[in-house]
Amino acid sequence: MAGGTLNRKGVFSLGHSALFFAVHLGATALSALLFSTLWLVAPGRQRVATGLLALWIPALILACMTPGWLREAHVPAETAIGSLVQGACISLVAALPSLTVLARAPGDLTRTARGLGADWRARALLLWLPLLRGRLLFGLGVILVLSAALAAIDLRRVVS
């Protein structure tokens, strides 16, 4: 059994399973949040949105196949590399709804708000948050659901 912690009977214990699941869920979700933020602040949002639209299905397939590839490469299950790769892959799916709204927003919206005297905090709270609120919450939900599913796949790799 590669990478698992066994009890005296040679069985992966429930406590270790829950801890493993929680750690991988957290690492995958944090990685996805980080990469989603990077996608949202990237310059040239229209090009980024188009690229992400082309890559989101292959990225989901890659995220689901990562545990199998790590097992074949004999990478210990406790390493965070699998969670980081999976988080980067699902960030494409989480950022895409918000990027479509940003790509359709008028380009001079921020410049107009800045010209009217709005600082970065006022622009974020009064302009971008109301515009993106539903999409950001949807993206967060996608991250949590996909992170839990991928952590369960990782857990299955460790237990088997």
Side-chain angles (χ1 to χ4, degrees):
M1 167 165 279
T5 304
L6 302 175
N7 61 14
R8 282 180 270 189
K9 295 179 180 176
V11 177
F12 200 74
S13 69
L14 181 62
H16 290 110
S17 298
L19 179 64
F20 180 86
F21 180 80
V23 167
H24 278 270
L25 177 112
T28 305
L30 286 176
S31 174
L33 285 172
L34 172 72
F35 280 102
S36 294
T37 303
L38 291 175
W39 295 125
L40 290 176
V41 298
R45 290 186 202 109
Q46 184 64 40
R47 288 189 310 267
V48 172
T50 304
L52 292 182
L53 185 60
L55 295 174
W56 75 275
I57 291 176
L60 279 178
I61 293 169
L62 177 66
C64 291
M65 294 177 72
T66 299
W69 289 341
L70 291 177
R71 177 188 293 167
E72 290 175 10
H74 303 291
V75 175
E78 288 85 8
T79 60
I81 189 73
S83 294
L84 295 177
V85 169
Q86 289 174 328
C89 290
I90 66 172
S91 70
L92 303 176
V93 178
L96 197 57
S98 299
L99 276 172
T100 57
V101 170
L102 290 176
R104 287 186 303 206
D108 56 351
L109 196 60
T110 301
R111 185 177 53 197
T112 303
R114 190 179 302 134
L116 292 172
D119 61 347
W120 68 270
R121 187 171 185 231
R123 286 192 307 268
L125 290 175
L126 300 174
L127 181 66
W128 297 117
L129 188 60
L131 184 65
L132 297 173
R133 182 181 306 133
R135 303 288 177 113
L136 291 174
L137 290 175
F138 176 75
L140 182 63
V142 166
I143 286 173
L144 292 176
V145 168
L146 287 176
S147 295
L150 292 171
I153 292 171
D154 284 342
L155 182 63
R156 193 180 83 193
R157 173 175 77 103
V158 170
V159 172
S160 63

